[in-house]
Amino acid sequence: MEPVIVVGAGPVGLALALALTRHAVPVVVLDETDGQEEPRPARTVVLRPDTAAFAARLGCADALSGTGARWSAWRTMRRRRLLERVAFGDDASPLHLPQHALTRALRTALTGEPLAQVVSGSRLAAVEQDAKGVSAQTRGDNGTWWRGSYLVGCDGPRSTVRKLLDVRFPGRTAVERHAVATLRTELPWPGEALLHRSPARHGGGRVSEVSARPLPGGVWRLDWLLPPGRDLVTPDALVARIRDSLAGWATEAADGPGDEGGTPGGRGHTGLVPPYELLDTGVHTVHHRLARTWRRGRAFLAGDAAHLLGALGTQGLDEGLRDAENLAWKLGLAWHHGATETLLDSYQVERRGAVAARLRATDSALPLLRDGGAVRWRTVLPGAARGRSTLLTDGHLGRGPLGGAPSYAGTPLAAPAGLPGEATVGTLPGAPVVEVPVTASDGSSVGLRDRLGRGLLVVLVAPGTGVWDRRHWQSAGLMPRLSEAVAALPMRAEVLVTEAYPGAAAHTVLVVRPDGHVVAALSGVRPDELAACADAVRGGAPGDGVRRPAADGTAGESGDRPDGAPAEPSGDAAPVDPPGSSVLHSESD
């Protein structure tokens, strides 16, 4: 079997390569650069708890804790009024760190992997496929032909892979623009991030907005929303924004909170600017685009090659890392055991569907939040009863339709409907599993997320086991039957025990995919139903002629095409985007 070829050595490509090696799959990473990324303090990323945990499982935990900052709280202000303050525990806070630090940590972890080969200075020139694999031609100092079982394009917004596969990339250009500065200073809210809408010292305009997010060492990243247009941001104008923001916050902190009718700049404004050291500046332009198909035969797209997003506080890298986690275990199954078209198609159905939903939610919210209320709230988001600032907070914190971890309710890998003994818990099938403490078969006590990525997880809810010696509970009650049933499953699986799970009764058994999404909850040990869940996660056995319905209700036969080439998903005609989705159809590539 040939290795999987990953094109691109950014965070998504490196994370995918690392995740594949965890499934004992050899990888070749084709890196067009020399492997030396220029440190840019103004280029930072925010990871949600699920994507930060994914990066930690890949071997980056120490680097992330050393270079990243977890916020103690998030503040949302309008003019001089505090609208909301969200306090965090260590596990719930987003992780904010420089992007080059994340890339370096992933590259360092990959360097120690014997199954991985990173080839610098390799520019992709051609991709060819046949029934058994993919061939990729590179140019440069390491120019040659590479042979692989599958190929994944993680090569960014201008993806060569996407263009060679002739995949359209429609969407919107310059949805938002932000002036960015990274500086070392002291702000009145140490360790807390801030979103300040309509700050008085910036004119109090209805779309005026600045955010401040802390990094380690007293460093902050500040982002100012720029008005529509392509006006240049001069150095003098940027310095003026920095001074205005710092002086305004210092004055407001000294004066105490005011109300929305307060005097611009605060009572007794002195205009004093706290000392600061400017480290880096830039202008960040947000585009919204979505590739029409994410799979052509044995070739896939992931990360910025497949989608661009980022308005209203959403984070594109979050979605790219979720792409990598979703695709890695599926290619692992395909590499070791073969794969049905259902399994390979499910990557596009799940991930493209999730990102499309995120883009539609953002596109619906933009007129309300950026056009000054030209449309009514309930018209934009029917059934919603929250204010505009709360919606913005959700986008920045990774909650709700703008930023929450996706649920794959329409996945083609769902367990059979009407499964005997199916139980109800606080997590619906297809949704991300809740983090709870678990005990592994070796007696170690860890978080449930720490065991993801190793195969299928079978979690028994058994109150009281925490006070038992492992020698006793492993051979008592349901455990022998459960262990025997799990050992007979057609894919790698691990038994875990937890004291409690939200909404679950005692002796409930949860089946969890390698990427942390719930397959089903069963009442007690049911070997036949466990086997059905495992078969569903695999998309059926390779060569069984079964193709499960996709999310849009279409179905087809598995196997190769008559001409011998690998069968492809229905591509452009498959996950049809709803009519009127301007985000997805306004421009061609």
Side-chain angles (χ1 to χ4, degrees), residues 559-576:
D560 293 342
R561 296 190 317 216
D563 60 4
E568 295 184 357
S570 41
D572 292 354
V576 178

Side-chain angles (χ1 to χ4, degrees), residues 5 102 117 184 392 411 497 557 586:
I5 300 173
L102 174 61
Q117 179 183 4
R184 183 174 285 107
L392 270 173
T411 174
V497 179
E557 296 298 323
S586 61

Side-chain angles (χ1 to χ4, degrees), residues 431-519:
V433 71
V434 175
E435 171 75 326
V436 294
V438 296
T439 302
S441 58
D442 60 4
S444 60
S445 296
V446 295
L448 179 54
R449 282 193 185 129
D450 293 335
R451 309 302 287 189
L452 295 176
R454 301 166 181 259
L456 207 62
L457 298 183
V458 179
V459 185
L460 172 65
V461 180
T465 52
V467 300
W468 294 7
D469 187 281
R470 181 171 63 95
R471 292 173 299 175
H472 300 306
W473 62 254
Q474 277 198 314
S475 59
L478 301 178
M479 283 299 294
R481 284 190 62 214
L482 182 59
S483 298
E484 182 180 354
V486 170
L489 294 179
M491 61 182 294
R492 181 182 178 185
E494 179 182 12
V495 177
L496 303 172
V497 179
T498 184
E499 290 266 354
Y501 188 86
H507 301 161
T508 297
V509 174
L510 283 83
V511 183
V512 183
R513 296 183 354 175
D515 56 356
H517 291 260
V518 172
V519 181

Side-chain angles (χ1 to χ4, degrees), residues 292-316:
R292 288 292 294 129
T293 184
W294 291 22
R295 178 190 172 210
R296 294 278 199 210
R298 291 177 174 266
F300 301 80
L301 299 175
D304 286 351
H307 51 75
L308 295 175
L309 68 162
L312 306 182
T314 58
Q315 294 287 321

Side-chain angles (χ1 to χ4, degrees), residues 199-212:
R201 289 182 62 83
H202 292 298
R206 62 192 180 191
V207 295
S208 179
E209 181 180 298
V210 57
S211 64

Side-chain angles (χ1 to χ4, degrees), residues 292-341:
R292 288 292 294 129
T293 184
W294 291 22
R295 178 190 172 210
R296 294 278 199 210
R298 291 177 174 266
F300 301 80
L301 299 175
D304 286 351
H307 51 75
L308 295 175
L309 68 162
L312 306 182
T314 58
Q315 294 287 321
L317 182 58
D318 261 342
E319 300 302 338
L321 292 177
R322 287 166 181 154
D323 296 343
E325 187 174 22
N326 184 288
L327 184 57
W329 68 268
K330 296 173 181 177
L331 291 183
L333 279 177
W335 198 89
H336 287 288
H337 307 291
T340 64
E341 292 300 304

Side-chain angles (χ1 to χ4, degrees), residues 140-181:
D141 294 340
N142 295 305
T144 187
W145 279 95
W146 298 87
R147 181 68 176 174
S149 53
Y150 298 94
L151 180 145
V152 187
C154 305
D155 49 343
R158 301 181 183 277
S159 170
T160 300
V161 173
R162 188 184 64 242
K163 293 173 182 176
L164 290 174
L165 296 178
D166 194 25
V167 174
R168 292 181 58 239
F169 198 38
R172 296 174 58 191
T173 300
V175 177
E176 286 186 348
R177 295 173 70 233
H178 296 260
V180 181

